[in-house]
Amino acid sequence: MKGFFITLEGPDGGGKTTQAKLLLEFLEEQGRPGLHTVEPGGTEIGRAIRALVLNPRWRQMASRTELLLMAADRAQHVAEVIRPALAAGLVVVCERYVDSSLAYQGYGLGEDLRLIDQANELAAGGLLPDLTIVLDVEPATALARTACRTQRDRIEGRGLEFQARVREGYQKLCAAFPERMHLISAEGDVKAVHRRIAELVASRIPGRG
Ligand code: TMP
């Protein structure tokens, strides 16, 4: 069976982890075993990078350092987890990937989008998702969902205006790559959002064999 690569994108507090788990259960029911993974932090090295890049202590971190740390995490993740899983015929469900760098470091922080494409190319070696689902939610709603955490991480702490630019970035990316990227409203009932995602995935994933 050929592997299939799905990424889930969207703001912090958009419900990606919940939806990834529900999607994997759905895939299992369809006889398609999957692998759930995340960026940053899908490998042991990645978890060390995640602890560094999200630590609120590093207020002086330059946006390019942030971009390159995300890319380093991705390079390890692609080599160690994603490519082997796809080669084994699994459906990879990955929370965040190349589009997070475009949305956050590009649209959010104002880094040059062409430079980010280059960093993504270096990290991923041209491996793009077969399908990208962007969970779209009002920044205020998303931010409120992360408010219960004891301490916001370095990127969550950037506030509403930043999150609004990220959201707009995702919307632009979806408009630019309509074949691969799909915007799905993440407002409201978890099960209703899952049904929208499952319907889309079922329509795109090739049959078994
Ligand atoms: P998470 O909390 O959804 O796991 O994501 C961690 C944070 O990292 C989130 O605020 C988004 C950010 N991020 C980037 O800014 N650029 C990237 O390339 C990736 C993968 C994540």
Side-chain angles (χ1 to χ4, degrees):
M1 212 186 291
K2 238 175 132 270
F4 195 78
F5 186 17
I6 300 171
T7 56
L8 280 179
E9 294 278 356
D12 306 288
K16 289 185 300 302
T17 304
T18 306
Q19 292 301 335
K21 287 182 180 155
L22 291 172
L23 176 58
L24 280 149
E25 281 170 24
F26 169 78
L27 289 165
E28 193 80 48
E29 285 162 19
Q30 308 293 307
R32 293 293 314 243
L35 176 97
H36 182 191
T37 189
V38 298
E39 285 193 8
T43 63
E44 204 177 349
I45 292 173
R47 283 186 282 284
I49 295 173
R50 180 184 175 97
L52 173 68
V53 76
L54 296 184
N55 188 339
R57 176 174 172 200
W58 307 124
R59 299 207 345 240
Q60 73 274 40
M61 188 181 287
S63 51
R64 238 169 241 194
T65 309
E66 184 174 300
L67 169 66
L68 290 169
L69 286 171
M70 295 296 183
D73 167 79
R74 185 160 303 131
Q76 187 64 29
H77 193 212
V78 166
E80 193 181 321
V81 175
I82 301 177
R83 281 196 193 277
L86 291 173
L90 295 174
V91 181
V92 174
V93 177
C94 181
E95 293 181 45
R96 304 196 177 283
Y97 191 60
V98 290
D99 302 299
S100 275
S101 293
L102 290 163
Y104 281 77
Q105 284 68 51
Y107 290 97
L109 289 181
E111 274 295 330
D112 185 336
L113 296 176
R114 281 164 310 175
L115 274 182
I116 299 174
D117 280 336
Q118 287 172 8
N120 279 337
E121 175 63 31
L122 186 64
L127 178 66
L128 278 180
D130 296 298
L131 179 63
T132 296
I133 295 158
V134 178
L135 295 177
D136 187 52
V137 59
E138 278 292 330
T141 313
L143 218 59
R145 288 190 195 158
T146 64
C148 53
R149 298 186 194 157
T150 36
Q151 191 186 27
R152 287 206 166 103
D153 68 41
R154 206 174 53 79
I155 295 179
E156 281 168 354
R158 284 185 183 142
L160 267 183
E161 273 178 33
F162 176 81
Q163 295 293 343
R165 289 199 297 277
V166 168
R167 182 191 196 193
E168 207 178 307
Y170 276 128
Q171 290 170 345
K172 285 186 180 154
L173 289 168
C174 287
F177 305 104
E179 252 305 295
R180 173 173 70 84
M181 296 185 71
H182 295 260
L183 207 64
I184 283 193
S185 169
E187 309 266 357
D189 185 50
V190 168
K191 282 192 182 146
V193 177
H194 168 63
R195 277 196 295 277
R196 290 197 277 274
I197 292 175
E199 212 170 282
L200 175 63
V201 170
S203 74
R204 298 298 291 264
I205 199 164
R208 302 175 67 180

